[in-house]
Amino acid sequence: WNQRYLTYFFLQSFVGYLSSVPRRSTGCLIEQLSEEKYECMVCCDIIRLMAPVWSCQSCYHVFHLNCIKKWARSPASQADVSAEGWRCPACQNVALKQPTSYTCFCGKVTNPEWQRSEIPHSCGNMCGKKRSGVDCNHPCNILCHPGPCPQCPAFVTKSCICGKTSQPMRCGQGTVLQCDKVCGAILNCADHTCAQVCHSGACQPCQLQVQQVCYCGVTTREVLCGTDKEGFDGSGHFSCEKTCGLMLNCEAHRCQQVCHHGRCQPCPRSPSLVKTCPCGQTPLTKLLDLGYSERRSCSDPIPSCGKTCNKPLACGSSDTIHLCEKLCHEGSCGPCSLTSTIRCRCGCKTKEVPCATIQKEEELVFTCEKRCNKKRSCGRHKCGELCCVNSEHKCLLICGYKLNCGLHRCQETCHRGNCDPCWQSSFDELTCHCGLTVLYPPIACGTKPPECKNMCTRRHECDHPVFHNCHSEEKCPPCTYLTQKWCMGKHEQRSNIPCHLQDISCGLTCNKILPCENHRCRRICHRGECLADGSCQQPCVLPRPDCGHPCSAPCHPGSSCPRTTCTAKVSVQCDCGRRKERVVCTEATSSYQRYAAIAMASKLSDMQLGDSMDIGPLLTKKEAKQTRLECDQECATLERNRRLADALQIDTSADPFNIRSTSVYSDSLKDDARKDLKFVTEVEEEIKNLVELANKGKQPKRSHCFPPMNREHRKIIHELAEVYAVESVSYDSEPKRNVVITAQKGKSACPNSTLTSLIERETTARAPPPIAHIKQHSSKAASGSTWSKMVKEEPVIDYFDVQD
C-alpha cells in the first residue's frame, strides 16, 4: 500500500509540474493553428490560416473575429452583475471592450499577413508582454505567440521573509524563502521580542499574561501583555468604566467622572471656576453689588438670581424644547409638567408620555412592536427584529444545507448562491464492488465508486449469462436473457420473453370453472385464484319457472332462486309488424293477461247462447311470448294503402304512398319533434341544404357546426343525421358541447318526406277511416273457432268509400 501511495503522490506532483509549464499549452496551440486543427468554440468550424481571429487574454482561447463579434452583441453574452461588459464563451471572464479589429497575439500589428515560416496570426516580432510572475519585470523574449507567456528564465537574488538571508532563484517564481533563524522583532508590548522562526506578515501579539489595575485603583484584571497599551500612554492601566470617586483637592467633594487617566479635574464648585448664578443668567459680581456675601470655599452655596431657570430639559422634541420652570436653583432641573411626543427607533409609531418619566435624552426614543420584514443578506430569511434600524441585514444563522457529498451540512453563515464543495477528504482507497478498479487517496467526500469495465461478479437469481458491468448499486439490473415462459393462466407458452418478466398475460379470458360449478372466470389471464376477493357474483343462469328467462340474481349455489321480478327484455310488435319495441318481461306478461281478459269477455255472449270456446291457448306460455302491440292510426293507413295498391294493381316498389319515407323516423324521434317542432324544422333545413351542397358541389364532403345546445337537442340532430345518411360527431364538454355534421357526396340523400311534414299531416283534421265489414258465420263450427283466428281475420273494406 505504501508503494502505491508514493506512486500516487509522484503522479500528482508530475501533473502539477506539467500544469505549471505554459510552454506546453502554447506549443499545443501553435501546432493546432498551423495544421488547421483548432476549432472555433462559437461556430464549431476549423480556424483557417488566413482567417481573422481574436484571442481571449484570460483563457487564451482563439475565436473567429466575426463569431466573437456576434457573440459579444448577443443577449446571451451580457454580464449578470452589471449592464456593461460581455462574457467570454470559454472562461466567462467579463470584458468591457468589445472586439473590433484583427490584431496579432501581442497586439502590436493590425491585420498581420500570414507568412509560411511564421506562426499563424502572429507578427513575427518579439512578444514583449509582461509575464504573469508577481515580481518579474522582464518582458517576454520569445516571438509573438498564442497562449500564456513562459516563465522568466532570468535569475535574481531574493531575501527571506525576515531579511537575514538571501539566495539566487528564478525570476517570477512564487516560492517564498524562509530561513531557520528566530525573527527577534519587537512585539506590540514594546518589552518583548518575537520568538517565532522566520515568518510572513506581522508578528503575533505578546502572549504573556500580566496583571493590570484600573486608573482609579479599584479593579484589577489579568490580560495579555500590551493590552490597551497604545491608548493609555504605555502605563498598562485601563478604565473600569465606573465613577472615579477620588477625593478632589478641595477635600470636600469626590470626582464624579468615569475612571480616567491622569489627575482629576479641579472641583467644579470652586470659587475660582463659578462666575455666575446656578441658571447662568446673572454674573456673581452683580449679585455681590446687591448685598450677597462673597463665596470663600467650594462648600459655600451659590447665590440665586431669583429668575426662572429656563435651562433646556431632556424632554420635548425636535420642534419643541421644554424649559425648566423653577426659580434659579442648584442641582438637577425638573420634573416637567408637560407631555412629550416620542417616536420609535424605526420612525413608524409615536406616542404621548408625561415629561416626568423622561430623565435622559435617550428616553425620547422607544422600541415599537413592528417586526422588520426585509430580507437578510442571504436572501432566504427575514430580519424579524423589533423596530429595526439596521441598514445592512446580515444573516448570522448557520446555512445547514446538505453539501454535494450528501453526508455533511454547510457550517458557514447563511449565504447566497451554492454552498462550497465539502472540504472533508478520506485517505482510504475507494474501489468498485469487484475490487479491480481503485481510486487512491486523498478522496473528496461524496465521491462515487469508480466505474469498472469488467463484468459483474455478484450472485444472481438465474443461471443465464451476465451482460452488465460491475456496479456500485445494491441490486443488479434485471436479466434480459430471452426465454420461453407460460402465461399466468397456463393457457399458452410464449418465446422471446426476458428472464426478469414474471407476470405474462396472453390477453385471453381465463375461462376456468369457478367453485360454484355454474360459471366460468371472465377475468383476463391472471395470477392466483379466480375468486380472490370473495364468492362468485355472476348472474344466475337457471331458467325461471314462469317465463323461462334466466334468474339473473347473484350466483347462489346450494339455494333456490329468489322470487324476484324478471327484468329481461323481450321484443314485441303489432299485428302488421310495423311497430317494434323491447319491453320488460313483466310488462309483456301483464299486457297479454289484459288482452286475454278482454277476449274472454267478448265471448261470454256466445257462451250464453250455448256455444263453447277453448281458453287453453290463452293460458299457455307460448301465447304469452307472442304478446302483440296495438296497431295505431299509421298502421291502418299503411294497410289501407297496401289494399288500395293491390286493388289498383300498383307496383309497391315505386313507393307511391311514401310508405318508406314515413317508416324511417322512430317513435321517440316523432315524440321529440312534437315537443319542439320549430327546432326540428330548422335542423332539417340545415341538413337538407348541406346534403344538396355536397351532392352538387365539387368537394366530396361538406360540414356544418351547430351552436352549443342541450342533450335533448343533440339527440334529435344525431337521429335526423342517420335518416339523411349524414355523419354526426359531438365535440367539447358541457356546457359548450356542440354537434358537427358532415355530408358525403353520393352517400347522403334527403328522404321523400320530411319529419316536419309528417307531424303536420298527423296534426291536421282527417276524414274518418273506412268501416270494416266483418263476415258473419252462422254455423257452429265457425262460432267455435279460436279467438286468435278471429283477431287475425281480415276485414272487407269498401274501397269506393276510401278518401285520401
Side-chain angles (χ1 to χ4, degrees):
W1 182 89
N2 292 332
Q3 185 178 1
R4 285 189 293 178
Y5 193 79
L6 292 175
T7 304
Y8 168 78
F9 273 106
F10 172 76
L11 293 175
Q12 290 289 93
S13 302
F14 185 71
V15 171
Y17 169 74
L18 293 180
S19 62
S20 65
V21 181
R23 185 180 295 274
R24 297 185 181 274
S25 60
T26 301
C28 183
L29 281 173
I30 294 174
E31 180 182 356
Q32 292 181 356
L33 291 172
S34 301
E35 297 179 0
E36 293 187 342
K37 294 182 179 180
Y38 194 88
E39 293 183 358
C40 174
M41 186 178 289
V42 179
C43 65
C44 297
D45 196 6
I46 298 296
I47 295 180
R48 302 299 176 183
L49 294 174
M50 294 185 291
V53 297
W54 180 86
S55 177
C56 178
Q57 297 302 317
S58 177
C59 62
Y60 304 105
H61 269 76
V62 183
F63 308 90
H64 286 118
L65 182 62
N66 291 334
C67 294
I68 202 65
K69 283 183 179 180
K70 293 180 181 178
W71 168 260
R73 292 193 299 266
S74 65
S77 68
Q78 301 304 315
D80 298 335
V81 179
S82 61
E84 299 179 356
W86 58 282
R87 297 177 292 106
C88 172
C91 63
Q92 304 297 309
N93 182 54
V94 178
L96 298 178
K97 184 180 179 181
Q98 293 192 356
T100 56
S101 60
Y102 168 42
T103 60
C104 63
F105 294 112
C106 64
K108 296 186 183 69
V109 179
T110 304
N111 298 325
E113 296 182 1
W114 176 68
Q115 301 294 333
R116 188 176 298 274
S117 59
E118 296 177 356
I119 301 173
H121 316 292
S122 69
C123 61
N125 300 322
M126 190 179 72
C127 177
K129 292 193 295 184
K130 189 180 183 304
R131 300 180 189 271
S132 59
V134 179
D135 300 330
C136 180
N137 296 323
H138 306 100
C140 180
N141 57 356
I142 65 174
L143 298 180
C144 180
H145 60 90
C149 297
Q151 290 185 357
C152 183
F155 280 84
V156 295
T157 302
K158 285 190 175 182
S159 300
C160 65
I161 300 174
C162 64
K164 294 182 179 181
T165 60
S166 61
Q167 68 179 29
M169 61 183 303
R170 188 180 293 275
C171 178
Q173 190 172 355
T175 305
V176 179
L177 295 180
Q178 185 176 8
C179 65
D180 55 354
K181 297 182 180 181
V182 178
C183 177
I186 302 299
L187 297 180
N188 60 332
C189 63
D191 295 331
H192 306 98
T193 57
C194 180
Q196 293 182 350
V197 181
C198 179
H199 62 87
S200 60
C203 298
Q204 294 185 359
C206 185
Q207 300 298 317
L208 296 176
Q209 293 284 341
V210 295
Q211 189 174 17
Q212 291 182 345
V213 183
C214 68
Y215 296 108
C216 60
V218 177
T219 307
T220 60
R221 67 178 182 179
E222 285 190 359
V223 295
L224 295 177
C225 180
T227 303
D228 294 339
K229 188 175 183 62
E230 297 179 358
F232 299 100
D233 300 331
S235 61
H237 293 72
F238 70 98
S239 175
C240 62
E241 302 299 330
K242 297 179 181 178
T243 304
C244 179
L246 294 177
M247 186 64 68
L248 299 179
N249 295 333
C250 64
E251 298 183 356
H253 302 96
R254 293 184 178 274
C255 180
Q256 299 299 321
Q257 293 181 347
V258 178
C259 181
H260 57 87
H261 171 65
R263 299 178 62 181
C264 297
Q265 297 292 331
C267 181
R269 294 179 58 86
S270 175
S272 60
L273 296 178
V274 179
K275 301 295 183 181
T276 62
C277 65
C279 67
Q281 300 182 48
T282 306
L284 292 180
T285 54
K286 290 186 178 181
L287 295 178
L288 292 176
D289 297 339
L290 296 176
Y292 286 94
S293 60
E294 184 179 358
R295 297 180 69 245
R296 300 293 181 181
S297 65
C298 60
S299 301
D300 296 339
I302 302 174
S304 172
C305 64
K307 300 178 181 179
T308 305
C309 180
N310 285 336
K311 286 183 180 180
L313 301 177
C315 55
S317 62
S318 58
D319 299 332
T320 304
I321 300 176
H322 295 177
L323 302 178
C324 179
E325 299 176 353
K326 294 181 180 181
L327 299 179
C328 180
H329 61 90
E330 294 186 46
S332 60
C333 298
C336 182
S337 60
L338 303 176
T339 59
S340 297
T341 302
I342 60 176
R343 187 178 296 272
C344 66
R345 293 191 306 171
C346 62
C348 295
K349 295 184 179 180
T350 58
K351 65 180 181 180
E352 295 284 337
V353 295
C355 293
T357 61
I358 301 175
Q359 303 297 331
K360 300 179 181 179
E361 293 185 1
E362 292 78 6
E363 298 178 358
L364 291 173
V365 179
F366 71 98
T367 302
C368 67
E369 298 299 325
K370 181 181 178 182
R371 293 192 178 274
C372 180
N373 292 324
K374 293 183 180 179
K375 290 284 188 179
R376 295 184 181 179
S377 57
C378 62
R380 292 163 49 193
H381 304 112
K382 291 183 178 180
C383 177
E385 184 179 349
L386 294 176
C387 197
C388 179
V389 293
N390 298 329
S391 57
E392 295 183 5
H393 301 267
K394 294 183 179 181
C395 187
L396 302 178
L397 301 175
I398 301 299
C399 177
Y401 270 18
K402 274 192 176 182
L403 299 178
N404 55 348
C405 63
L407 302 175
H408 305 100
R409 295 184 179 273
C410 181
Q411 298 299 324
E412 298 181 1
T413 55
C414 199
H415 55 84
R416 289 181 179 269
N418 298 329
C419 300
D420 294 334
C422 183
W423 56 269
Q424 300 192 30
S425 301
S426 173
F427 288 91
D428 297 331
E429 293 181 357
L430 184 62
T431 63
C432 64
H433 184 268
C434 64
L436 297 179
T437 306
V438 183
L439 287 180
Y440 297 102
I443 297 174
C445 182
T447 304
K448 295 183 179 179
E451 295 184 1
C452 184
K453 302 295 183 180
N454 302 309
M455 289 296 174
C456 179
T457 58
R458 304 191 188 200
R459 180 177 295 178
H460 299 86
E461 297 178 356
C462 59
D463 298 332
H464 299 135
V466 179
F467 297 106
H468 58 271
N469 295 339
C470 178
H471 54 89
S472 58
E473 291 80 9
E474 294 183 1
K475 295 183 64 177
C476 289
C479 179
T480 58
Y481 191 82
L482 300 181
T483 60
Q484 288 186 352
K485 288 191 176 184
W486 284 92
C487 64
M488 294 182 290
K490 302 296 182 180
H491 300 122
E492 61 180 15
Q493 190 175 14
R494 293 194 172 189
S495 58
N496 296 332
I497 302 298
C499 175
H500 69 277
L501 293 181
Q502 300 297 331
D503 297 338
I504 303 173
S505 176
C506 60
L508 303 177
T509 306
C510 178
N511 208 29
K512 292 182 180 178
I513 297 179
L514 299 179
C516 64
E517 297 182 356
N518 294 327
H519 302 95
R520 292 181 177 271
C521 181
R522 298 179 180 178
R523 295 170 57 189
I524 303 299
C525 180
H526 60 87
R527 182 180 297 278
E529 298 293 334
C530 295
L531 297 178
D533 299 337
S535 59
C536 178
Q537 297 296 324
Q538 296 186 26
C540 180
V541 295
L542 297 177
R544 293 175 179 268
D546 49 355
C547 62
H549 293 128
C551 173
S552 299
C555 186
H556 45 84
S559 60
S560 59
C561 295
R563 300 186 62 81
T564 57
T565 304
C566 182
T567 58
K569 294 281 187 176
V570 296
S571 299
V572 295
Q573 62 182 6
C574 62
D575 291 336
C576 65
R578 187 191 69 83
R579 294 183 61 194
K580 295 180 180 180
E581 289 185 7
R582 290 184 62 82
V583 297
V584 182
C585 177
T586 55
E587 296 180 2
T589 304
S590 61
S591 175
Y592 168 74
Q593 292 175 354
R594 184 173 61 254
Y595 203 48
I598 295 174
M600 294 178 65
S602 63
K603 291 297 182 178
L604 288 176
S605 58
D606 296 337
M607 295 176 63
Q608 291 176 357
L609 297 175
D611 295 339
S612 62
M613 66 174 296
D614 185 10
I615 63 174
L618 301 178
L619 302 177
T620 60
K621 298 179 182 179
K622 182 178 179 181
E623 292 296 332
K625 295 181 181 179
Q626 299 177 354
T627 303
R628 302 288 183 175
L629 297 176
E630 296 181 1
C631 291
D632 57 1
Q633 187 66 32
E634 189 172 352
C635 294
T637 302
L638 293 177
E639 181 63 21
R640 182 201 64 183
N641 293 340
R642 187 184 65 78
R643 291 180 179 276
L644 183 61
D646 292 342
L648 299 178
Q649 297 181 356
I650 298 175
D651 186 10
T652 57
S653 62
D655 194 16
F657 300 104
N658 293 332
I659 298 174
R660 290 191 296 272
S661 63
T662 56
S663 62
V664 294
Y665 303 107
S666 62
D667 294 340
S668 61
L669 181 59
K670 292 179 183 178
D671 295 338
D672 294 338
R674 293 187 187 96
K675 297 177 182 178
D676 196 349
L677 187 61
K678 181 179 179 181
F679 173 75
V680 174
T681 304
E682 295 176 356
V683 172
E684 282 193 318
E685 187 68 24
E686 289 289 347
I687 299 178
K688 178 182 177 183
N689 295 336
L690 187 67
V691 171
E692 291 179 353
L693 286 175
N695 292 328
K696 294 180 181 179
K698 296 181 179 180
Q699 298 180 4
K701 291 184 179 181
R702 290 278 186 169
S703 299
H704 175 74
C705 179
F706 287 97
M709 57 188 65
N710 55 27
R711 182 181 300 176
E712 288 74 13
H713 286 175
R714 293 199 305 270
K715 176 185 174 184
I716 294 174
I717 294 177
H718 287 305
E719 293 183 357
L720 286 176
E722 292 182 2
V723 175
Y724 284 81
V726 173
E727 181 183 357
S728 61
V729 181
S730 297
Y731 293 97
D732 298 335
S733 56
E734 298 291 352
K736 296 184 179 181
R737 193 165 180 81
N738 59 344
V739 181
V740 177
I741 59 174
T742 304
Q744 296 185 7
K745 187 175 183 179
K747 180 180 179 181
S748 303
C750 298
N752 295 328
S753 177
T754 61
L755 179 60
T756 305
S757 60
L758 178 63
I759 299 301
E760 291 177 350
R761 188 164 59 249
E762 291 180 356
T763 55
T764 54
R766 302 181 60 183
I771 300 174
H773 300 280
I774 302 175
K775 297 179 181 180
Q776 300 291 334
H777 301 276
S778 58
S779 63
K780 293 182 179 180
S783 62
S785 60
T786 62
W787 172 82
S788 58
K789 294 180 180 179
M790 188 173 186
V791 174
K792 295 179 180 179
E793 185 176 0
E794 297 179 356
V796 179
I797 302 175
D798 190 359
Y799 288 94
F800 296 99
D801 297 335
V802 175
Q803 298 181 5
D804 293 338

